[in-house]
Amino acid sequence: MAETIIRVDQLNFSFGNQQVLNNISLNVQRGNIYGFLGPNGSGKTTTIKLLLNLLQNSSANIHLFGKPLNQHREEVLQKVGSLIESPALYHHLSGFDNLKARAIIFGIHEERIHEILKIVGLTSAAKKKAGKYSLGMKQRLGIGLALLNDPELLILDEPTNGLDPNGIIEVRNLLKKLALEHHKTIFISSHLLAEVERIATHVGILFDGKLRFEGKIEELQSLKSIVICIETNNNQSALDLLNVNFAVTNTDTCLRIPFESLAQIAKINKLLVNNGFEVYSLYKEKKDLESLFLDLTQPV
Amino acid sequence: MKSFFLSLRSEFFKSRNTLAFWGAIILPLFLCTVVFLGYYFKADSIIRGMKGANGEAAWFQYLSIILGVMGSLLLPMYLIFMTYSVNNIEHKAETWKSLFSLPIPKFTVYTSKALYTLLLVFISLVLFVVLSIAYGLILGKIKPDFHFMDADIMDITSKTSKIYLKLFIASLGIISIQFFFSLIWQDFMKPMGLGFVLLVVSMIALKWEYSFLIPYSLPLKSIMGLSKDSVLFDKEAWISIGYAIGFFTLGYFVITKRSVK
């Protein structure tokens, strides 16, 4: 069985009277790319700050590499690289010097800095001041900083936030490379499901401080339900007719009925045609992850 | 211990090319050069004004000009500005969170930053000693009428060092309080504004019998009360050290107990 890298047991956290996290439990195994999903304000950054011991948490319910974070802070953080929200960079220093300021603390040689610059694709911009970097470059340098001490676990908070499509692709490719070639375990938070879907092996979905789903990305995808979409010359009347026998929902573009069987489709068609409706389209649709995500993150 | 020295080295590395670092060098260089140039170009009128003072007395007239400007106004202002700049590097770059998520104790992060601040002030004051003596020696050579060379230079250097060391100790209180302010407040106005208000208050209250309790008046008091038998660790020095211990400790607890934004 794979080693558990992050284990969080029934974590609660409040800012004053406001409860931000409610009984969160997480499990991340070695080699996972764990997508930590949730809308803005759901508690993702709070969870990440707790994972890094940046927020005060007296109970020992966070274990990294099998050890309670509270008691082995420095030892476990040795194996963690992180990027929280916007990358923390010294704008008056070049990309290289930003890495060097950190490398000095770790006692790391300059060769490693060059290596990192190569991994994050900033070798040619190494001498440029970080303040003059584009947002995508800053984000990559931030990831570079997280990688400097060759950590086993990368914790990245919204690493594609605010990036243009090119920047997003750059960061995504970099993360894939890190997981595949450098065998990192990656814990990445995002509010964009489509983003996580493309790289994650596992997903946790957080909403309003509660974990709504945790599992493999395939398990999430299997939750996708199939619906029948129907378009006619008069959707409103068709809705009245079909409602008698089926559970119909009316959306802007079509009427939707949960799929049961092919015979059911034929039956619907027959019913509509016999009642004088013109059927423009009738097809099966897999509910996409986006709407599944919306379902999972609706208040209950 | 190793991680502490590495953190300290990193502090020096990242503050290169910042005003916080260069201020420590430019301030003594500027002030000593201005006084040197004044002495050089206005040598005749200064020598007339010295009323025959030579040797040690001539040196102390010369040194007290630099010391007077420094201790009364420039030094406290420099301390307020410098402590702000040192912490502002992290506030501006939002690097507190990444510093505190490094696998080194938070105590190391904090103490290396605090010690770096103290070292900058120390370097600045050492430069004051070195430059004022060096410029004095040059003046002694090129304008023998100042009679600087009549004095025992080693003795002058040792006395000057003692005065600046006294000034450094008297500054510890201000450094610790301003360091604390700029640690908890990100913006420019609060630490700077409050610092200047406290400085002005201490100037007004200078004649008050308990003014030695106000840390902002201590550098000035330490050089005002100079005499042949002044000791290094007088009442003012201990009060300054007391403030420093108190506020540096408070700063540590506030920054580690407070959740990092």
Side-chain angles (χ1 to χ4, degrees), chain B residues 15 36 40 79 81 85 91 119 127 153 161 166 176 229 242 253 259:
Chain B
S15 71
F36 168 78
Y40 181 77
L79 297 178
F81 164 76
S85 308
H91 286 314
L119 274 176
L127 273 178
I153 303 301
S161 306
K166 214 168 145 55
S176 65
D229 41 47
F253 281 106
S259 295

Side-chain angles (χ1 to χ4, degrees), chain A residues 56 73 89-90 92 97 101, chain B residues 10 14 16 90 93 100 256:
Chain A
Q56 293 296 312
R73 179 182 172 274
L89 304 173
Y90 301 108
H92 66 284
D97 285 349
Chain B
S10 176
K14 69 192 174 199
R16 301 179 314 162
E90 311 301 341
F100 283 124
T256 50

Side-chain angles (χ1 to χ4, degrees), chain A:
Chain A
M1 204 180 125
E3 183 193 351
T4 302
I5 302 290
I6 301 178
R7 203 186 89 215
V8 174
D9 299 314
Q10 299 175 331
L11 175 67
N12 289 295
F13 190 79
S14 308
F15 286 117
N17 291 329
Q18 186 202 353
Q19 183 149 23
V20 185
L21 298 179
N22 194 343
N23 258 333
I24 301 284
S25 295
L26 300 171
N27 270 291
V28 181
Q29 310 288 319
R30 183 176 290 280
N32 285 175
I33 302 183
Y34 190 101
F36 192 44
L37 271 167
N40 292 331
S42 55
K44 298 188 300 290
T45 301
T46 305
T47 310
I48 285 185
K49 284 186 173 173
L50 284 161
L51 287 177
L52 293 168
N53 195 233
L54 287 172
L55 293 174
Q56 293 296 312
N57 169 39
S58 46
S59 44
N61 43 11
I62 299 176
H63 286 71
L64 296 184
F65 299 93
K67 291 184 171 159
L69 177 64
N70 280 1
Q71 289 147 35
H72 297 86
R73 179 182 172 274
E74 282 95 48
E75 189 191 337
V76 295
L77 287 182
Q78 198 85 43
K79 302 184 204 167
V80 181
S82 62
L83 170 67
I84 314 148
E85 295 165 316
S86 54
L89 304 173
Y90 301 108
H91 287 187
H92 66 284
L93 297 179
S94 67
F96 182 89
D97 285 349
N98 263 285
L99 288 163
K100 187 160 181 197
R102 182 69 58 84
I104 291 172
I105 298 178
F106 285 124
I108 290 172
H109 291 291
E110 287 200 1
E111 294 98 81
R112 176 70 185 158
I113 301 178
H114 292 292
E115 225 177 280
I116 293 290
L117 284 166
K118 206 170 151 199
I119 294 175
V120 297
L122 286 173
T123 305
S124 57
K127 291 206 167 77
K128 199 171 163 182
K129 288 220 161 95
K132 296 216 160 77
Y133 276 15
S134 70
L135 202 56
M137 290 161 89
K138 283 181 186 167
Q139 210 68 266
R140 279 184 286 146
L141 183 59
I143 296 173
L145 280 164
L147 284 171
L148 198 58
N149 60 332
D150 201 19
E152 292 170 38
L153 167 67
L154 272 177
I155 296 181
L156 308 171
D157 187 17
E158 306 253 4
T160 55
N161 215 2
L163 298 185
D164 60 15
N166 269 335
I168 294 177
I169 293 167
E170 282 171 7
V171 170
R172 188 194 302 147
N173 290 342
L174 173 61
L175 293 179
K176 277 185 184 167
K177 189 164 91 173
L178 289 173
L180 287 172
E181 295 172 21
H182 300 264
H183 312 291
K184 307 287 180 208
T185 304
I186 301 177
F187 185 87
I188 171 179
S189 84
S190 176
H191 61 276
L192 299 169
L193 178 85
E195 195 43 51
V196 162
E197 198 187 358
R198 287 170 194 228
I199 51 171
T201 56
H202 292 71
V203 184
I205 295 179
L206 192 68
F207 182 77
D208 208 13
K210 295 191 186 92
L211 199 70
R212 293 291 177 85
F213 174 86
E214 188 184 49
K216 288 185 181 166
I217 191 96
E218 298 85 33
E219 288 172 39
L220 184 67
Q221 280 160 341
S222 72
L223 286 180
K224 292 173 179 180
S225 48
I226 302 171
V227 289
I228 305 163
C229 296
I230 307 144
E231 240 184 305
T232 68
N233 59 333
N234 187 346
N235 278 358
Q236 194 52 51
S237 310
L239 173 73
D240 298 336
L241 172 73
L242 293 171
N243 241 344
V244 179
N245 295 318
F246 305 99
V248 191
T249 48
N250 191 5
T251 64
D252 289 345
T253 49
C254 65
L255 301 174
R256 285 169 202 272
I257 297 171
F259 171 79
E260 285 163 16
S261 63
L262 291 173
Q264 176 205 21
I265 300 181
K267 193 175 164 193
I268 291 168
N269 188 36
K270 203 168 171 185
L271 192 63
L272 288 169
V273 173
N274 286 346
N275 284 279
F277 287 96
E278 289 178 25
V279 179
Y280 296 149
S281 64
L282 186 63
Y283 58 94
K284 283 194 293 177
E285 188 189 66
K286 263 197 163 187
K287 205 170 179 183
D288 63 2
L289 275 180
E290 208 61 54
S291 41
L292 183 69
F293 181 50
L294 284 173
D295 287 349
L296 284 166
T297 56
Q298 289 307 310
V300 279

